[in-house]
Amino acid sequence: MAAPLLSMQGITKSFPGVKALRSVDLALHAGEVLALVGENGAGKSTLIKVLGGAHLPDQGTLAFDGEVRQINSPVDGRNAGVGIIYQEFNLVPQLTARENIFLGQEKTRFGCFSRQREHDAALALFKRVGVAVDPEALCGDLSVAQQQVVEIAKALSVEAKIIVMDEPSATLTPQEVERLFAVMRELKSQGIGIIYVSHRLEEIFEICDRVSVMRDGTGVGEATIADINREQLIEMMVGRKLDKEFPPRATQPGKERLVVEGLNRGTAVRDVSFSVREGEILALAGLVGAGRTETARLIFGADKRDSGTIALDGRILDIQHPRQAIANEIGLLTEDRKAQGLILGQSLRENFALPNLDAFSRFGFVAEGNEKVAFGGFVESLRIKTPSQEQLAGNLSGGNQQKVVLAKWLQRNCDVIIFDEPTRGIDVGAKYEIYVLMNELAAQGKAIIMISSELPEILGMADRILVMHEGRVTGEISDMPNATQQMIMELAVQ
Amino acid sequence: MKRFFADYGMIFALLVLGVLFSWLTWDEQHPTGASGGRQLGKMIVKQTTQQQRIVVLARDGAEDRAFTEELAAQLAGKREIVAIIHGSPQDARKRIDQMLTEGSVDLLACTPAVSTWPMLSSLPQLSEIPVLSPEPYHWPNFLKADNLLNVANQIVVIAVLAIGMTLVIITAGIDLSVGSLLALAAVASTWLIRDAAGGEAAGTLGVVLCCLAAIALAAAVGLFSGAMVTGFNIPPFIVTLAMMLVASGLAYTMAGGQSIYQVPDSFAWLGRGTALGSIPNSVVLMILLYIIAHVMMSKTVLGRYIYAIGGNLEAARLSGVPVKRVILLVYLLNGALAGLGGIITASQLKSGAPTYGIMYELYVIAAVVVGGTSLMGGQGKIFGTLIGAFIIAVIQNGMNLTGVGSYMQKVVLGFVILAAVLLDTLKRRGTLNLGKLFASKTA
């Protein structure tokens, strides 16, 4: 058998105070899609950064086509044929697709770059990928999926033989994911090896050939996809048996609490009306850009609505700013925790206290002691894993960050809690804990709105589903035992 | 402990500078004034017997008067002072000759400067009489109380402006107009005193009201900048650059391009007066303002809000922070503090001129940055800024004492600012963990 495309052996990497990787082995063959899975903090990102040359390993070797090479910098990585597509793209939005592809390696003629040669080369690359993108379109104007294609073309332009994709599907719609898979199959057929990092298990079973599982900085196992099922894979990832992905629900929704009527904002939200009952989890389903997040932001006062009324327990609320929503005990867990939910450079305690300072202060002075006692309670009850309350929010894993954001609103004892993509970027174990918390909140009689792009999550958690498309509500599914992913998708794509 | 070092690591830079300049300015010191008199008095009591007749010699001037008064107080009831002579060598010689005709003189006590008069050893009638003066000792010029007060006096205006700038920078903003606001307030206050409160004959109340009005004017300009920033999302850099021109132009117009010096003596109370011992009133005010600002930033809801806005504006807004109101208030406070800086400057110089405060915005920003506040917002400490301001002042003062030219001083200062920011960047990246370093050593 030929030497593998890539063979990483005994990779060890320590950071101050943390052993991120302990003797990890990984092999990738030509024309293979290898899934790299594991909970957050398992070491996947570090391993990828070692491969790409962003981190130097303390020990271990990397061999490409059987030949051991030192990868000391991202340039070495590129020269060894490694192309990495990070979750946050490395594209300059003000430049065109063509300019981005050839950034730093412009095709020149007589010292000047040749637009025509680059244009032709870009077209050829897009043809290889199998997707037509206008090379002269500004990257800032392209959709997320198109930008991803540009990234792939950029990797191919330097003759990458190994392409690493870090959570490529996280921000894609189902159709776009399908197109991405087509691209991946095309690359496979050209003999390129792909490392696919994802939390979405169904995708792994659809596109990958083999899976390599990491836990706590070590490789805990490898399997051929055909030989393994979903439960076994989850078990490998979390290191214990998970009986269920979703906790059982036993609440009976009561009277109507939140009633939204005729919400409008430009073309993003059009005439949206619905209600959420006591103890009910209402899911908002739909594609990215269908207006779900926008609706939530209108209810929370984060954006100004053109028209519409919001009423809680029969009382019409005047919500123009988040402050007013918060004063009326509405809480929002944003989809992007890092950009909108937390102040990463501040301590957990300060983050927790921010919307609650009215209760934690006297005459404008903050009572830190009260904060500590209150937050201490949540650290315990929500099982937030942190060395101390003074830890910076940016140092926590996604699941624990989400718990801190949740604690902010629990302290206020919010009546309405909106979860926007509550488990995005959160590992399997922590997901379950978040689900349990959501159920507990519902059991306390709160009205819960959950926005999610993960259909199994919607089917597993919701009491009722509202599907949106292009800013409008296109359907409601309330017969949950018989609901299917197909029913949701039909309403979502129209 | 660890946190303290991480937050105030710059205090070590200040200490190092202090030690460096102390070493460079190590010099022979001759005790003068009251302290010289005290030292000499003790020396005389120790070295002489009770019956001796003592003549005290000194020049004219306040310092020498303090010397003789203190010496007389030290010797009162213990020794007999037959005469205290102030004046030139000629005066002294006449008086001593006269005294020698009346009786013997056993000891001449004099200031260090007087002890070097040639006549003391050359005149036959004096050569027999022992001469005592305070003994010289070694001490750095840098660490002399006068010099340290001088440093504080020099930096007080920049330090006051830097409080407001720290708040602005913590919200991830910047204010380039503070130097011009300083000039505007200085001119406005003196203009009002001259034209509305009676000029040199103005009463205290009138002066205070005029100063408050000038501060209010600067605060209003700050508020306007804040309104432009929050209302129209114009970058603070641009807004305050424009206001820098506006405020400066207004100051020149109001003053007609001239200095205004028709102010009463009481106007200098803040800048030159000393109500508490020998510490200038402006320095006392500065310390008070720093304490208030520190408490505000570390203990109050407002402080939390300011840090939160700089750390992540959107997250703060979605957590119910009244973002716009807080930013407006920060720019208003910054304007008011710049105005106060103008009053202090005008009071120090007892006049108002539109040329005050030129380039101050850069020194103020430098002090804030050297003090460890991040230009990215969300992080920074009030006392860090005070340390930053003092680092700049100490470097300038130390270079003055060691004879570095003022042009070269700018070069050095520029590199110091760069070094401070570099240090901060390395610390943030974790390449250099000052906190850890010192914590492990002090543990």
Side-chain angles (χ1 to χ4, degrees):
Chain A
M1 193 174 143
L5 204 54
L6 168 71
S7 169
M8 298 175 86
Q9 287 198 317
I11 303 290
T12 300
K13 173 74 190 176
S14 297
F15 295 109
V18 197
K19 202 146 195 189
L21 296 174
R22 301 162 214 248
S23 192
V24 178
D25 298 340
L26 186 98
L28 176 71
H29 297 278
E32 173 184 63
V33 180
L34 172 72
L36 183 59
V37 299
E39 297 190 87
N40 285 349
K44 294 166 299 184
S45 303
T46 312
L47 189 68
I48 288 170
K49 283 181 176 158
V50 168
L51 175 60
H55 286 327
L56 283 184
D58 301 333
Q59 281 167 34
T61 57
L62 287 92
F64 297 87
D65 289 325
E67 180 195 340
V68 174
R69 290 179 72 153
Q70 277 283 339
I71 305 291
N72 294 328
S73 69
V75 176
D76 287 351
R78 202 170 70 185
N79 292 341
V82 178
I84 297 184
I85 296 156
Y86 291 104
Q87 225 174 330
E88 286 88 22
F89 299 137
N90 287 316
L91 297 175
V92 184
Q94 293 87 350
L95 296 182
T96 66
R98 167 182 61 80
E99 285 166 332
N100 266 296
I101 291 173
F102 297 106
L103 194 61
Q105 37 152 356
E106 286 79 5
K107 289 200 179 299
T108 55
R109 176 178 285 175
F110 313 125
C112 298
F113 81 87
S114 160
R115 185 195 175 103
Q116 193 55 49
R117 281 179 60 197
E118 284 189 3
H119 188 88
D120 295 344
L123 281 180
L125 286 170
F126 287 134
K127 201 172 173 197
R128 250 185 94 183
V129 179
V131 178
V133 176
D134 176 9
E136 303 307 327
L138 290 184
C139 272
D141 297 339
L142 296 177
S143 71
V144 177
Q146 285 172 317
Q147 292 187 32
Q148 208 162 49
V149 169
V150 174
E151 281 273 12
I152 294 170
K154 191 174 168 181
L156 292 178
S157 74
V158 291
E159 301 301 325
K161 292 195 279 297
I162 299 162
I163 291 183
V164 183
M165 297 183 180
D166 191 1
E167 296 264 4
S169 59
T171 48
L172 298 187
T173 65
Q175 297 98 311
E176 287 172 330
V177 172
E178 273 315 311
R179 249 175 274 146
L180 174 69
F181 287 170
V183 170
M184 288 169 69
R185 290 191 187 98
E186 177 62 32
L187 297 175
K188 246 176 89 164
S189 71
Q190 295 171 18
I192 285 170
I194 297 174
I195 297 177
Y196 187 82
V197 181
S198 180
H199 280 305
R200 296 193 179 168
L201 302 185
E202 58 265 46
E203 292 176 3
I204 289 168
F205 283 93
E206 186 178 343
I207 189 74
C208 297
D209 303 304
R210 242 167 14 102
V211 59
S212 184
V213 184
M214 290 186 70
R215 193 167 69 229
D216 298 332
T218 51
V220 290
E222 271 193 14
T224 307
I225 286 294
D227 299 341
I228 191 171
N229 63 30
R230 191 183 169 94
E231 284 68 38
Q232 289 167 321
L233 183 54
I234 292 176
E235 212 179 304
M236 278 170 84
M237 284 167 68
V238 299
R240 66 193 145 85
K241 252 189 149 63
L242 268 189
D243 298 332
K244 289 192 186 79
E245 261 187 86
F246 302 101
R249 287 186 42 73
T251 40
Q252 207 54 44
K255 62 179 186 350
E256 276 187 346
R257 295 209 70 177
L258 181 77
V259 179
V260 172
E261 264 178 286
L263 275 193
N264 273 295
R265 178 181 165 84
T267 56
V269 178
R270 292 188 269 195
D271 201 26
V272 170
S273 304
F274 62 86
S275 66
V276 192
R277 289 186 287 170
E278 184 180 70
E280 182 181 44
I281 298 180
L282 173 74
L284 291 186
L287 306 179
V288 171
R292 301 168 301 167
T293 297
E294 290 77 1
T295 302
R297 286 177 62 90
L298 292 188
I299 296 171
F300 192 64
D303 295 323
K304 283 231 171 347
R305 59 182 191 274
D306 299 337
S307 64
T309 57
I310 300 158
L312 180 60
D313 295 332
R315 194 162 46 88
I316 292 198
L317 307 179
D318 172 34
I319 296 177
Q320 306 298 334
H321 298 286
R323 282 180 77 73
Q324 290 158 329
I326 292 168
N328 284 303
E329 314 305 352
I330 297 176
L332 169 68
L333 284 83
T334 56
E335 58 179 331
D336 189 341
R337 281 185 301 278
K338 291 184 177 177
Q340 301 174 330
L342 289 168
I343 297 160
L344 300 179
Q346 286 195 351
S347 72
L348 304 182
R349 175 176 53 79
E350 286 167 316
N351 268 290
F352 158 75
L354 197 52
N356 300 302
L357 283 176
D358 49 352
F360 288 137
S361 65
R362 267 190 100 174
F363 309 119
F365 284 82
V366 180
E368 260 185 43
N370 296 356
E371 289 177 0
K372 283 182 180 153
V373 171
F375 188 51
F378 284 110
V379 169
E380 209 163 296
S381 65
L382 301 183
R383 288 188 296 279
I384 299 172
K385 278 183 222 148
T386 173
S388 92
Q389 299 191 7
E390 306 309 313
Q391 178 75 291
L392 298 186
N395 293 345
L396 252 59
S397 72
N400 285 307
Q401 284 180 344
Q402 189 69 296
K403 289 179 189 172
V404 173
V405 180
L406 184 56
K408 286 178 18 174
W409 304 121
L410 293 184
Q411 170 66 28
R412 285 208 75 88
N413 203 14
C414 284
D415 294 321
V416 178
I417 304 183
I418 307 171
F419 290 83
D420 195 353
E421 303 286 0
T423 60
R424 173 176 288 176
I426 290 178
D427 54 58
V428 179
K431 267 185 191 177
Y432 191 83
E433 289 185 63
I434 300 279
Y435 295 145
V436 171
L437 288 169
M438 289 172 73
N439 280 347
E440 280 173 11
L441 293 173
Q444 290 165 19
K446 299 185 187 309
I448 294 177
I449 301 174
M450 176 180 82
I451 298 170
S452 177
S453 295
E454 292 195 49
L455 298 180
E457 179 171 282
I458 288 179
L459 293 172
M461 290 298 298
D463 295 308
R464 196 154 54 92
I465 303 169
L466 223 54
V467 187
M468 292 185 69
H469 176 70
E470 291 184 347
R472 294 180 201 281
V473 175
T474 50
E476 182 180 325
I477 302 170
S478 45
D479 178 19
M480 290 307 295
N482 297 315
T484 63
Q485 299 196 9
Q486 276 70 27
M487 289 164 65
I488 299 173
M489 284 319 295
E490 273 164 32
L491 290 166
V493 300
Q494 295 286 300
Chain B
M1 195 68 183
K2 193 174 158 184
R3 186 132 184 190
F4 175 83
F5 285 116
D7 288 347
Y8 301 111
M10 275 299 158
I11 208 163
F12 285 91
L14 187 58
L15 287 178
V16 168
L17 282 171
V19 170
L20 175 74
F21 286 125
S22 298
W23 181 65
L24 287 175
T25 61
W26 185 256
D27 206 356
E28 196 177 84
Q29 309 289 342
H30 299 281
T32 55
S35 68
R38 197 173 314 125
Q39 195 215 346
L40 186 59
K42 284 181 183 152
M43 209 163 86
I44 289 172
V45 170
K46 212 182 278 175
Q47 293 184 3
T48 63
T49 55
Q50 201 125 35
Q51 283 71 35
Q52 285 187 320
R53 290 159 57 82
I54 299 169
V55 170
V56 179
L57 278 183
R59 287 173 182 274
D60 283 323
E63 201 174 39
D64 283 27
R65 300 253 169 219
F67 172 84
T68 55
E69 273 164 30
E70 179 67 27
L71 180 59
Q74 287 284 330
L75 297 181
K78 296 175 182 163
R79 297 290 182 276
E80 188 188 353
I81 297 179
V82 284
I84 294 175
I85 303 169
H86 283 282
S88 66
Q90 286 75 20
D91 301 337
R93 187 177 158 184
K94 271 183 214 156
R95 289 283 308 275
I96 294 173
D97 282 345
Q98 193 190 343
M99 300 203 51
L100 282 172
T101 61
E102 291 166 6
S104 71
V105 172
D106 300 316
L107 179 70
L108 288 177
C110 54
T111 62
V114 171
S115 71
T116 59
W117 285 354
M119 73 166 200
L120 292 181
S121 51
S122 61
L123 289 178
Q125 65 270 40
L126 293 183
S127 59
E128 295 296 310
I129 305 172
V131 176
L132 271 184
S133 65
E135 288 202 333
Y137 63 101
H138 285 83
W139 186 252
N141 287 330
F142 171 75
L143 281 188
K144 285 165 78 174
D146 285 353
N147 186 58
L148 292 180
L149 275 181
N150 190 24
V151 171
N153 232 342
Q154 274 177 355
I155 204 61
V156 71
V157 171
I158 295 218
V160 166
L161 264 60
I163 294 174
M165 188 66 81
T166 307
L167 306 190
V168 170
I169 291 182
I170 287 175
T171 67
I174 193 94
D175 191 338
L176 300 179
S177 66
V178 290
S180 298
L181 287 180
L182 182 155
L184 180 62
V187 168
S189 61
T190 48
W191 183 81
L192 281 171
I193 291 171
R194 184 188 66 187
D195 293 359
E200 275 139 9
T204 308
L205 181 65
V207 169
V208 169
L209 287 178
C210 292
C211 291
L212 289 178
I215 292 174
L217 174 65
V221 178
L223 182 67
F224 182 78
S225 296
M228 287 290 131
V229 170
T230 54
F232 301 99
N233 269 330
I234 309 174
F237 186 94
I238 304 298
V239 173
T240 58
L241 183 70
M243 294 321 290
M244 172 175 137
L245 293 174
V246 170
S248 177
L250 284 177
Y252 273 98
T253 308
M254 202 181 257
Q258 307 277 317
S259 288
I260 301 173
Y261 49 84
Q262 293 88 338
V263 290
D265 288 340
S266 63
F267 185 63
W269 180 84
L270 182 59
R272 297 185 188 171
T274 52
L276 281 182
S278 57
I279 304 171
N281 294 332
S282 55
V283 174
V284 175
L285 177 65
M286 173 194 85
I287 293 167
L288 276 177
L289 287 172
Y290 268 89
I291 291 170
I292 292 169
H294 173 76
V295 170
M296 184 186 101
M297 288 307 280
S298 59
K299 302 279 177 227
T300 70
V301 174
L302 178 63
R304 283 281 181 87
Y305 283 173
I306 292 173
Y307 279 115
I309 288 170
N312 186 338
L313 190 140
E314 184 64 6
R317 192 172 79 93
L318 294 181
S319 294
V321 175
V323 172
K324 286 189 178 179
R325 260 183 281 162
V326 172
I327 292 180
L328 280 175
L329 182 63
V330 164
Y331 279 89
L332 175 115
L333 284 175
N334 186 46
L337 284 164
L340 179 60
I343 301 298
I344 296 173
T345 310
S347 172
Q348 281 176 341
L349 302 172
K350 238 186 114 187
S351 63
T355 49
Y356 293 171
I358 289 175
M359 295 274 283
Y360 268 34
E361 54 281 343
L362 300 186
Y363 285 104
V364 169
I365 293 168
V368 174
V369 171
V370 169
T373 295
S374 165
L375 284 173
M376 309 294 289
Q379 278 170 341
K381 292 275 182 288
I382 289 290
F383 279 117
T385 295
L386 185 61
I387 295 166
F390 267 89
I391 284 179
I392 289 176
V394 162
I395 288 173
Q396 282 184 326
N397 176 263
M399 287 193 294
N400 279 335
L401 291 178
T402 49
V404 179
S406 65
Y407 300 147
M408 203 58 208
Q409 289 187 9
K410 278 192 178 177
V411 175
V412 174
L413 214 53
F415 279 114
V416 166
I417 292 164
L418 210 52
V421 180
L422 186 68
L423 205 71
D424 186 55
T425 311
L426 292 179
K427 205 171 78 185
R428 236 168 266 283
R429 253 197 248 153
T431 325
L432 185 77
N433 194 332
L434 274 182
K436 215 172 174 179
L437 195 74
F438 286 112
S440 62
K441 275 187 184 166
T442 48

